[in-house]
Amino acid sequence: MPLLNRDSKAAALRGVPMFEGLPKSQLHQIARRVDEVELDAGTALTVEGKVGKEMYIIVKGAAVVRRKGRKLADLQEGAVLGEMSVLDGQPASATVTLTKDSTLLVTSRREFKEVLDASPRLAYRLLVTLANRLRDADRRLVG
């Protein structure tokens, strides 16, 4: 049973770096396009090599990111995942599994595209987020 109404979803989104600084009206617009789901620990949200159809935001809970069985990162509340597959339709680069029972906000590829089309500011924030991830990955590779 959903616990979050649209205002609560908007408040949860405000705490996510990708959505910081967006006006309240845009946060409410996004909140209308996300669903709240509660999933058990052990649930795989993305599977390496499989095309993802949804983007997730951890509202409450935690997850682990693994590639080829190797742990890459722990994700906490406020983390966004699955956005790359949702954007480009390519297979997920890693498997993300919940490590705690979790509450998430989830949106489909179509819904997320509509949100980005309506919010150039959010599209820019997403580009910055992805650029930062790429730079971090590059630093880890180069050392």
Side-chain angles (χ1 to χ4, degrees), residues 41-54:
T43 302
L45 299 177
T46 66
V47 177
E48 183 177 355
K50 301 221 180 214
V51 175
K53 295 177 174 53
E54 297 172 316

Side-chain angles (χ1 to χ4, degrees), residues 50-103:
K50 301 221 180 214
V51 175
K53 295 177 174 53
E54 297 172 316
M55 182 184 85
Y56 302 90
I57 301 163
I58 301 174
V59 175
K60 179 181 173 197
V64 63
V65 180
R66 295 184 186 278
R67 183 179 301 139
K68 296 181 181 171
R70 182 174 163 234
K71 181 178 173 179
L72 299 178
D74 289 308
L75 302 178
Q76 305 299 324
E77 294 173 7
V80 177
L81 57 124
E83 75 282 4
M84 288 177 24
S85 283
V86 166
L87 284 170
D88 66 11
Q90 296 297 308
S93 59
T95 297
V96 179
T97 307
L98 295 175
T99 55
K100 295 180 182 178
D101 292 350
S102 299
T103 301

